């Protein structure tokens, strides 16, 4: 398919209703936004101070290398600085990866449903997405492996998965990574990594000597609460880092985002308070759903995918009129589900 035909066939990203839209449409004063998995506890006061102190030099370009943040992240997660690539959120990094490794005729393998930007960016590059239905809310790794062929360039693993919240079991993940040919790039998207139970967290970023074809994605948008600033990073081999950095825009992360992320990284107290509160309320909400007899996917994130007695669209509209913004499962092909933060 020609490039223009591909672009013409795509649909722009459709965001959920914004707070002001809901207020005006339904004549409401108080809105609780639960549809985008944002941090309801805000963000670190250290990050706020860093933003305020940065406003007097906005005439200057940011550090394209993100040097200070790079050093801090490398030390925090135990990798070398040359293994990091910074982007304007995970979306930017996903686009970079597709631009670097894909071409017309290539294919990639992903779960269904999963984060929609994988498929969108794959199609933009003229490549084919092979979508493998989830098994029990998580990736069906056996079937994903079975559809690998000579044209497979990328395998996408979203763990914990969006929209189900389920994570791939740690040893199962390691075993899968070990079976995949080294010429295939594996993208392990860990946007919700911080919310996982500690004993369940894999540490693939520290095993890239064995898994040199893996690119791990992390973000400051979720647990750190910096979604509005758009900043995230990839951890990979030096070879892959060089490729991605050669493709990315020179100043793809802003000075404000870099400085806020650097400050947020130092505020362990805020991060731990967010994680603890999330676990408590998530467990409480899951207990409540058990009492109702509603089915849901047991989550390792800050959101739940709930099987509703009515359609997800109907529940979405009902809650919207009450001032609660959730996301209907119909948007990801699950019409009997509703996805929301568990706050």
């Amino acid at each position: 398919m020609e490039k223009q035909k591909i672009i013409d066939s795509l649909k722009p990203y459709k965001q959920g209703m914004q707070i002001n839209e809901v207020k005006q449409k339904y004549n409401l004063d108080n809105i609780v936004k639960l549809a985008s998995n944002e941090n309801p506890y805000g963000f670190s006061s250290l990050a706020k101070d860093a933003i305020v102190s940065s406003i007097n030099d906005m005439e200057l370009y940011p550090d394209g290398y993100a040097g200070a943040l790079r050093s801090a992240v490398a030390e925090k997660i135990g990798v070398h600085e040359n293994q990091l690539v910074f982007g304007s959120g995970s979306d930017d990094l996903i686009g970079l990866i597709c631009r670097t490794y894909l071409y017309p005729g290539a294919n990639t393998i992903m779960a269904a449903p999963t984060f929609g930007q994988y498929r969108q960016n794959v199609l933009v590059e003229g490549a084919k997405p092979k979508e493998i239905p989830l098994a029990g809310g998580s990736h069906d790794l056996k079937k994903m492996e079975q559809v690998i062929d000579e044209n497979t360039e990328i395998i996408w693993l979203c763990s914990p998965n969006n929209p189900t919240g389920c994570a791939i079991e740690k040893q199962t993940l390691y075993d899968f990574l070990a079976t995949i040919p080294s010429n295939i790039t594996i993208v392990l998207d860990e946007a919700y990594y911080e919310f996982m139970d500690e004993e369940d967290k894999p540490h693939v970023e520290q095993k890239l000597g064995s898994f040199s074809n893996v690119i791990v994605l992390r973000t400051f948008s979720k647990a750190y609460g910096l979604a509005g600033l758009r900043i995230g990073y990839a951890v990979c081999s030096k070879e892959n880092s060089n490729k991605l950095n050669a493709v990315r825009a020179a100043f793809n992360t802003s000075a404000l985002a870099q400085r806020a992320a650097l400050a947020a990284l130092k505020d362990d107290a805020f991060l731990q308070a967010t994680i603890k509160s999330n676990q408590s309320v998530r467990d409480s909400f899951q207990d409540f759903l058990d009492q109702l007899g509603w089915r849901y996917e047991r989550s390792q994130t800050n959101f739940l995918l709930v099987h509703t007695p009515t359609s997800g669209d109907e529940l979405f509209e009902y809650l919207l009129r009450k001032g609660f913004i959730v996301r209907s499962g119909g948007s990801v092909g699950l019409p009997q589900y509703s996805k929301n933060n568990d706050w």
Side-chain angles (χ1 to χ4, degrees):
M1 187 183 293
E2 296 176 4
K3 180 80 170 184
Q4 191 55 56
K5 289 182 179 179
I6 293 171
I7 300 301
D8 289 344
S9 71
L10 298 178
K11 296 180 180 179
Y13 175 75
K14 184 179 181 181
Q15 68 177 14
M17 291 189 71
Q18 301 301 294
I19 291 174
N20 286 336
E21 290 181 79
V22 178
K23 283 184 176 181
Q24 293 172 9
K25 183 174 181 178
Y26 297 103
N27 194 28
L28 298 170
D29 294 323
N30 298 314
I31 303 297
V32 180
K33 185 168 181 274
L34 303 172
S36 301
N37 310 335
E38 294 148 333
N39 190 336
Y41 305 113
F43 60 97
S44 165
S45 60
L46 298 184
K48 182 177 181 179
D49 292 342
I51 293 169
V52 172
S53 66
S54 300
I55 61 175
N56 291 324
D57 59 1
M58 288 297 99
E59 76 280 8
L60 301 175
Y61 283 106
D63 175 3
Y65 188 67
L69 180 59
R70 177 180 299 273
S71 296
V73 170
E75 182 178 357
K76 181 86 170 181
I77 66 174
V79 301
H80 196 279
E81 291 182 20
N82 64 17
Q83 293 180 268
L84 295 171
V85 182
F86 288 87
S88 180
S90 295
D91 287 355
D92 183 30
L93 293 164
I94 291 165
L96 283 177
I97 291 167
C98 288
R99 198 180 315 154
T100 302
Y101 299 99
L102 296 182
Y103 49 86
N107 68 63
T108 78
I109 300 168
M110 64 191 70
T114 192
F115 186 47
Q117 289 305 300
Y118 309 147
R119 187 178 192 276
Q120 189 83 349
N121 281 279
V122 166
L123 291 173
V124 166
E125 300 303 326
K128 176 184 177 182
K130 290 185 176 182
E131 298 174 283
I132 307 302
L134 296 172
S138 192
H139 295 64
D140 191 334
L141 299 180
K142 183 173 293 187
K143 288 188 178 178
M144 294 178 83
E145 184 180 355
Q146 289 172 351
V147 299
I148 293 172
D149 63 28
E150 66 276 8
N151 296 316
T152 302
E153 294 292 340
I154 299 176
I155 298 174
W156 304 90
L157 303 176
C158 186
S159 183
N161 187 45
N162 182 0
T164 60
C166 300
I168 302 170
E169 191 274 329
K170 183 163 48 177
Q171 190 57 53
T172 301
L173 174 62
Y174 290 151
D175 292 344
F176 178 76
L177 298 181
T179 66
I180 302 303
S182 60
N183 63 306
I184 296 175
T185 300
I186 303 170
V187 180
L188 177 60
D189 187 347
E190 295 184 329
Y192 300 93
Y193 182 81
E194 289 82 7
F195 292 116
M196 291 181 66
D197 296 336
E198 198 61 38
E199 65 273 15
D200 295 330
K201 289 181 178 179
H203 294 283
V204 176
E205 77 282 357
Q206 296 176 9
K207 299 177 180 291
L208 294 177
S210 301
F211 304 127
S212 60
N213 57 330
V214 176
I215 300 174
V216 179
L217 300 184
R218 300 268 178 86
T219 182
F220 286 94
S221 294
K222 304 303 181 183
Y224 286 99
L226 298 178
L229 289 177
R230 313 306 302 123
I231 187 158
Y233 60 93
V235 195
C236 53
S237 68
K238 181 181 177 181
E239 180 183 2
N240 282 329
S241 173
N242 287 339
K243 291 178 181 178
L244 293 171
N245 275 313
V247 170
R248 72 170 177 83
F251 304 109
N252 65 327
T253 59
S254 72
L256 285 180
Q258 290 181 33
R259 293 170 190 174
L262 177 60
L265 202 64
K266 298 174 181 177
D267 196 346
D268 282 332
F270 172 82
L271 181 63
Q272 293 307 315
T274 288
I275 294 169
K276 184 177 180 180
S277 296
N278 180 77
Q279 290 175 334
S280 175
V281 181
R282 180 182 65 199
D283 291 346
S284 176
F285 190 33
Q286 289 180 154
D287 289 342
F288 172 69
L289 291 171
D290 287 337
Q291 293 172 21
L292 290 179
W294 287 22
R295 290 192 290 115
Y296 59 91
E297 301 297 344
R298 190 159 290 276
S299 176
Q300 286 262 24
T301 65
N302 66 335
F303 63 85
L304 286 174
L305 182 67
V306 181
H307 187 278
T308 56
T310 183
S311 78
D313 288 343
E314 289 179 8
L315 184 60
F316 163 79
E317 183 63 29
Y318 173 81
L319 290 173
L320 203 59
R321 293 179 182 277
K322 302 293 184 180
F324 294 90
I325 306 175
V326 300
R327 186 177 292 263
S328 170
S331 64
V332 292
L334 299 170
Q336 281 295 127
Y337 284 81
S338 176
K339 185 165 78 74
N340 56 85
N341 291 79
D342 49 306
W343 306 106

